[in-house]
Amino acid sequence: MSTSTTVRAGAGTHRPPVLRGRAWVAPLCWFAVLLDGFDAVVLGAIMPMLTSDASMGIDNGTGTVIATAGLVGMMIGALGMGWLTDRFGRRKLLIGAVIVFSLLTFVTGFAQDATTIGVLRFLAGLGLGGCLPTGISMVTEFAGAKKGSNATTLMMTGYHVGAVITALLALWAAANTVSGWREMFFIGGLPALVLVPLMWRYLPESPDFLLSKGRTAEARLVADHYGVQIDEDPEQAFAGASPEQPEKTGAALLLSAKYRRNTVFMWLASFMGLLLVYGLNTWLPQIMRAADYDLGNSLGFLVVLNAGAVIGLIIAGKVGDAITPRNAAILWFIGSAILLAALAIKLPLLGIYVMIFITGCFVFSAQNLVYAFAATNYPPKVRGTALGMAAGVGRLGAISGPIMGGTMVAAGIAYPWGFFGFAIAGALGGLAVTGMRTMRRDQRKDAAPDPSVPVGAEERERISA
């Protein structure tokens, strides 16, 4: 049930916390990630139409360069946005990311040459790269550590719902519009006109972020209103090596003795996971056309791949909470490798649809379990940085995947060798995850906040005065 609380602006420098309906956080982040999924997949969905548009003069090689430009932007956005969210807040940065990529996606529909599309995709990538780590930080912190995997993977279903919608709209646009690809970019930019005002009004700031900045009274107020447990000594919630020096923050803390092993192996796993995600989403339609399937079926495979991802994420989140994100990620990466290799086997049309659906259940969930690991195995003060760097360093894999797929398509060997190459990446991802270590939480710290320090009337008044 929605509630509404009004907090008056104070004399301080901080905006008063948003205290409105408790049920808004997860849906708003989910829809932000849905738009992220639409924008990230749109280039792969419209690539056949773009390369067929004689007025643009874009071939598969140029398409690879455009895709790479967008992914470089995403890498920079993820690295920078993760750092910025740990300093300036999840709320403002998530709203800003949605505005940036939506506006630039819409403008791309007016492009008249490949260079313009490449530049706009790079700039849109800055926002796209920041959306995922920021959204994951938000939903994880409002869900609590014990439900971190499920919260992360459920939110990431939005990405793949967006991808499915993109592929379906591409089918419609190819048959019912003049160019097909321009209309897709226009469609991708419009939903922000509704989402951004809702986020501004209803999306609160993370209490973990407020606490990390010493804004304890605000953190308690937000936590009390939204039913979130906060830990006022979060460093002690993580097992492992001896405590680090308190001044260490950001990348320095991620690469300190306590977290270095996890950080390095997490980056490797994210590299392989995003290689699979972006390689397949960008080139699967063209790979299947190389296997003599028509355009309709080739786009249909992209729909089914991402539909499988939605189901896989729902299952993977529950498994991750039951056996830890690390152990679940090992299983999902190994499953991805086996299924991708099996796609090289010739099957009847129905059989290949079933195989691609099952492959989607594993491939995309593997990467998102890496995000779930990052969200639940680093303290709040560097959680955004950890997620941002996992996504940012992983974008090198996101760049490599389309390059690998595009090179094989251009060389005429994408089928079946493309699937074998992606299968090797899945196996290497699983190997990297085995090097990661779960930072087990002290159960004492997972207990409810001390009832002797409630968010009382005096504290509320001090914040709202």
Side-chain angles (χ1 to χ4, degrees):
M1 179 177 179
S2 276
T3 61
S4 179
T5 303
T6 301
V7 181
R8 298 188 304 275
T13 59
H14 298 300
R15 182 182 186 275
V18 174
L19 301 177
R20 299 190 186 278
R22 298 179 183 179
W24 281 94
V25 178
L28 287 174
C29 291
W30 189 88
F31 277 107
V33 171
L34 182 148
L35 296 186
D36 187 317
F38 184 104
D39 278 13
V41 175
V42 67
L43 191 61
I46 59 92
M47 190 67 74
M49 291 177 277
L50 187 60
T51 55
S52 298
D53 188 339
S55 68
M56 297 299 293
I58 294 175
D59 57 17
N60 286 328
T62 306
T64 301
V65 173
I66 292 172
T68 302
L71 293 168
V72 170
M74 290 183 196
M75 177 181 69
I76 296 171
L79 291 171
M81 197 75 76
W83 182 85
L84 289 169
T85 59
D86 284 334
R87 282 148 184 80
F88 302 108
R90 323 291 194 221
R91 179 180 182 274
K92 289 184 290 187
L93 272 297
L94 183 58
I95 294 171
V98 172
I99 292 172
V100 168
F101 71 69
S102 296
L103 178 62
L104 290 165
T105 295
F106 184 84
V107 172
T108 304
F110 296 103
Q112 298 299 317
D113 55 69
T115 300
T116 303
I117 295 177
V119 170
L120 290 171
R121 292 310 293 166
F122 169 80
L123 295 174
L126 298 176
L128 285 166
C131 185
L132 281 180
T134 309
I136 291 171
S137 292
M138 287 287 288
V139 298
T140 301
E141 290 166 7
F142 277 91
K146 292 182 179 179
K147 297 180 180 179
S149 294
N150 197 44
T152 299
T153 53
L154 280 177
M155 190 197 73
M156 288 303 299
T157 62
Y159 179 96
H160 298 287
V161 170
V164 169
I165 291 172
T166 306
L168 291 173
L169 285 172
L171 285 170
W172 169 83
N176 297 285
T177 64
V178 177
S179 69
W181 66 270
R182 293 186 187 276
E183 288 80 2
M184 289 293 293
F185 285 118
F186 294 147
I187 292 169
L190 291 175
L193 294 174
V194 175
L195 180 62
V196 168
L198 289 175
M199 293 175 74
W200 184 260
R201 179 171 175 80
Y202 292 105
L203 190 66
E205 184 53 89
S206 154
D208 280 346
F209 167 78
L210 296 172
L211 197 63
S212 74
K213 293 301 172 185
R215 295 159 63 181
T216 305
E218 291 175 81
R220 289 175 177 171
L221 180 61
V222 174
D224 177 67
H225 180 81
Y226 288 95
V228 179
Q229 294 181 358
I230 57 173
D231 185 351
E232 298 193 23
D233 190 12
E235 292 295 332
Q236 299 304 314
F238 296 89
S242 58
E244 301 297 331
Q245 294 298 319
E247 66 270 13
K248 286 192 175 182
T249 59
L253 181 58
L254 296 183
L255 292 173
S256 63
K258 186 174 183 178
Y259 297 104
R260 185 185 305 120
R261 172 177 172 170
N262 275 353
T263 298
V264 171
F265 281 111
M266 181 178 66
W267 288 350
L268 292 172
S270 187
F271 177 96
M272 297 302 168
L274 285 174
L275 185 153
L276 295 178
V277 170
Y278 284 89
L280 289 169
N281 268 332
T282 301
W283 289 111
L284 181 65
Q286 294 291 71
I287 291 173
M288 299 312 284
R289 290 191 77 184
D292 298 326
Y293 293 97
D294 59 31
L295 176 60
N297 277 315
S298 295
L299 288 172
F301 294 139
L302 190 61
V303 173
V304 170
L305 183 76
N306 283 280
V310 174
I311 303 302
L313 284 166
I314 294 171
I315 298 170
K318 296 183 181 301
V319 173
D321 282 335
I323 67 172
T324 76
R326 172 194 178 273
N327 294 336
I330 293 171
L331 296 177
W332 255 254
F333 269 112
I334 292 172
S336 298
I338 294 170
L339 288 162
L340 284 165
L343 286 178
I345 301 171
K346 287 286 187 180
L347 293 171
L349 186 60
L350 178 60
I352 197 69
Y353 267 108
V354 172
M355 280 294 295
I356 288 175
F357 178 85
I358 298 172
T359 302
C361 290
F362 280 82
V363 168
F364 300 130
S365 298
Q367 170 61 21
N368 291 309
L369 286 165
V370 175
Y371 289 147
F373 178 90
T376 55
N377 284 275
Y378 290 91
K381 69 177 181 180
V382 290
R383 186 172 293 140
T385 303
L387 281 160
M389 293 196 75
V393 175
R395 296 293 173 184
L396 295 173
I399 293 167
S400 301
I403 290 174
M404 184 177 81
T407 301
M408 291 185 176
V409 168
I413 60 171
Y415 187 86
W417 292 103
F419 288 128
F420 292 144
F422 289 131
I424 291 171
L428 291 174
L431 186 63
V433 177
T434 62
M436 288 154 48
R437 179 177 55 138
T438 297
M439 305 291 283
R440 299 190 183 280
R441 286 178 167 268
D442 180 349
Q443 294 303 309
R444 177 179 57 84
K445 294 294 180 180
D446 280 339
D450 187 347
S452 66
V453 282
V455 183
E458 293 180 6
E459 193 163 321
R460 287 179 183 276
E461 174 134 355
R462 181 160 55 85
I463 296 172
S464 60

